Amino acid sequence: MAQLSDDCFAFGGPMLSVDEAVGIIAAKVTAVQDIESVALVAADGRILARDIAAPLALPPFTNSAVDGYAVHGSDLPRGTEKTLPVKGRVAAGRAAQAAKPGEAVRIFTGAPMPEGTDTVFMQEDVRLDARGNVVLPAGLKAGANVRPAGEDIPQGQVALKAGQRLRPQDIALAAAFGLTRLDVARRIRVAVFSTGDELASPGTPRAAAQLFDSNRFMLMAMLRRLGCEVSDLGILRDERDPLATALKRVAGEHDLILTTGGVSTGEEDHVKAGVESAGRLVLWRMAIKPGRPVAMGIISGTPFIGLPGNPVASFVTFVHVVRPIVLALSGAAPAPILPMPVRAAFAYKKKSGRREYVRVTLRRAADGALEAQKFPREGAGLLSSLVDTDGLVELPEPVTSVEPGDTVGFLGYANLM
Ligand code: AMP
Ligand code: MG
């Protein structure tokens, strides 16, 4: 388990900006050290544990980029077309015979270049005469339509870096090197609880004043997308001591404990009290909307995050606090999410000094520009506002208003987890 010091989430001042929060996380949270080897088919989304230097140049041998005719550079027609006899044929996967100057070789995409040749005429650009000789047009440069060995990646170059969250194209590169397994950081183990007497688990009876727990399932799905191994620990009742006991019990077996609900400062906010009796707690009052205070704690060396109960606040604070911690614990290189510029199709007033997120749908406007349309309502409890939209418009701290037509930064949901 990653062991963090009790005061590692402390900060000075009453309010924490999103960047300060991310900075504290980057400075204090260290990665779990365990490494495991996984087959390529199981590597998607995993965090690469060691740099990979190319054991092989890519492409491994010089080959043709097109179907056509390979020739010596010295035979390139100058001024007028030129006719060469076709001697030999080389298909992809076959060994090529050397070709003499004055000869063309029929060649196909991916086939090795015959020794001596360095240029390929595309078959569309040539014609064959009655005797089967190839007639080459003038104007092609030496080296055209050839992929030199190592042009993609030279042998020995670091091609994948430790900390890379592996994507399909990264796995393709490892396969191109002939690797079958990759060393990755072990998945971090995250314990997830919901809290609140008003919650019922789907599949159990719901009393009149209860609602079904939705946050836990949202958070578990987000954590899994980030590559975590998730323990679903159900719902904790609003009661300090059992809460403290449960938190202490899971701390030793997990790298992170995540709860939702019960962390404001009201008298019914028992998570705070529970964490305070089980370990250390700091309330992060973040300058972010939607978002309520986030409780940050350490229980027996294990980081604890208490997210707000309102689903939208829970979602947004997950992105800014849980995601960076999960990535840091997992050994992933820091991955700031860069907003994409889109045109606002809405007006909005906001407080200066606070970062705000507006739930929006993207659409193509009549002039072809991408436009963000604001979800009509703003409540932090509206799940439909997350379901019926494509992402969040991020309004930086200094902004005080948005007018239709302004350029704003858009974060698609798929990029947030
Ligand atoms: P709390 O942060 O506990 O004060 O909760 C704030 C609001 O979020 C209340 O309306 C709760 O009922 C709601 N809430 C808390 N936890 C969940 C959850 N797991 N799923 C859905 N709604 C929740
Ligand atoms: Mg509650």
Side-chain angles (χ1 to χ4, degrees):
M1 302 295 118
Q3 289 285 313
L4 297 187
S5 72
D6 275 359
D7 60 352
C8 73
F9 294 130
F11 68 102
M15 267 282 177
L16 201 58
S17 73
V18 176
D19 289 340
E20 284 165 338
V22 172
I24 294 177
I25 292 165
K28 301 293 182 175
V29 177
T30 52
V32 298
Q33 294 301 313
D34 310 335
I35 291 174
E36 61 194 33
S37 158
V38 293
L40 291 187
V41 288
D44 189 34
R46 302 301 299 269
I47 312 293
L48 193 62
R50 302 183 217 283
D51 286 354
I52 294 180
L56 180 75
L58 290 184
F61 54 91
T62 300
N63 67 92
S64 177
V66 296
D67 289 350
Y69 294 84
V71 302
H72 283 249
S74 56
D75 285 330
L76 290 183
R78 316 219 178 268
T80 53
E81 58 183 29
K82 185 167 180 178
T83 303
L84 293 183
V86 180
K87 297 281 170 73
R89 182 178 192 277
V90 54
R94 306 285 170 190
Q97 304 294 314
K100 295 198 196 76
E103 291 176 359
V105 176
R106 180 72 170 123
I107 196 165
F108 297 89
T109 306
M113 291 294 287
E115 199 186 313
T117 67
D118 59 12
T119 306
V120 179
F121 283 82
M122 283 174 75
Q123 62 188 23
E124 294 86 338
D125 295 340
V126 304
R127 62 195 158 77
L128 294 177
D129 69 11
R131 279 163 305 186
N133 297 320
V134 64
V135 183
L136 309 171
L140 195 64
K141 287 208 181 79
N145 300 318
V146 171
R147 305 188 281 218
E151 75 158 0
D152 188 359
I153 299 177
Q155 187 175 4
Q157 179 176 296
V158 172
L160 290 169
K161 291 221 171 68
Q164 173 73 20
R165 202 167 149 204
L166 295 167
R167 303 163 297 172
Q169 59 266 47
D170 304 318
I171 296 167
L173 187 56
F177 289 148
L179 303 175
T180 57
R181 306 186 69 83
L182 295 174
D183 284 342
V184 298
R186 79 157 161 81
R187 292 182 188 281
I188 65 160
R189 294 189 270 274
V190 184
V192 181
F193 296 97
S194 291
T195 71
D197 289 344
E198 79 279 30
L199 300 177
S201 256
T204 66
R206 182 185 66 82
Q210 283 191 311
L211 44 99
F212 287 120
D213 177 4
S214 56
N215 288 356
R216 183 161 43 101
F217 297 91
M218 174 175 77
L219 298 173
M220 291 194 298
M222 291 170 98
L223 288 166
R224 288 213 176 89
R225 285 196 178 196
L226 287 174
C228 303
E229 198 177 297
V230 177
S231 306
D232 178 0
L233 294 165
I235 301 167
L236 290 171
R237 295 297 148 207
D238 283 326
E239 220 181 318
R240 190 193 70 174
D241 291 341
L243 235 146
T245 309
L247 295 174
K248 268 193 264 187
R249 178 173 53 80
V250 301
E253 300 151 9
H254 294 86
D255 302 295
L256 176 66
I257 304 168
L258 184 62
T259 68
T260 157
V263 294
S264 309
T265 42
E267 57 190 74
E268 287 294 329
D269 290 323
H270 306 273
V271 175
K272 223 178 123 246
V275 178
E276 270 162 348
S277 84
R280 280 290 287 273
L281 182 106
V282 182
L283 267 195
W284 277 9
R285 293 186 182 286
M286 294 180 66
I288 184 174
K289 185 189 170 191
R292 302 287 315 231
V294 176
M296 303 294 295
I298 300 293
I299 301 170
S300 314
T302 298
F304 161 89
I305 306 174
L307 295 180
N310 270 315
V312 181
S314 192
F315 185 92
V316 169
T317 48
F318 180 99
V319 170
H320 294 291
V321 179
V322 181
R323 177 180 185 276
I325 289 194
V326 162
L327 293 179
L329 285 170
S330 310
I337 314 165
L338 301 175
M340 231 175 46
V342 300
R343 189 163 74 197
F346 59 89
Y348 190 81
K349 294 262 173 279
K350 85 175 255 303
K351 244 194 187 163
S352 164
R354 178 163 87 181
R355 195 178 292 185
E356 298 197 11
Y357 291 90
V358 182
R359 288 146 268 171
V360 300
T361 305
L362 283 190
R363 65 161 187 210
R364 185 73 66 189
D367 66 357
L370 269 187
E371 237 179 31
Q373 261 189 313
K374 183 178 166 299
F375 188 78
R377 289 172 298 148
E378 282 173 25
L382 303 172
L383 265 180
S384 61
S385 70
L386 291 174
V387 171
D388 294 343
T389 53
D390 300 316
L392 304 171
V393 157
E394 178 174 84
L395 301 175
E397 286 78 355
V399 171
T400 53
S401 71
V402 174
E403 297 302 329
D406 287 356
T407 298
V408 291
F410 170 79
L411 303 166
Y413 291 136
N415 295 328
L416 300 180
M417 49 199 103

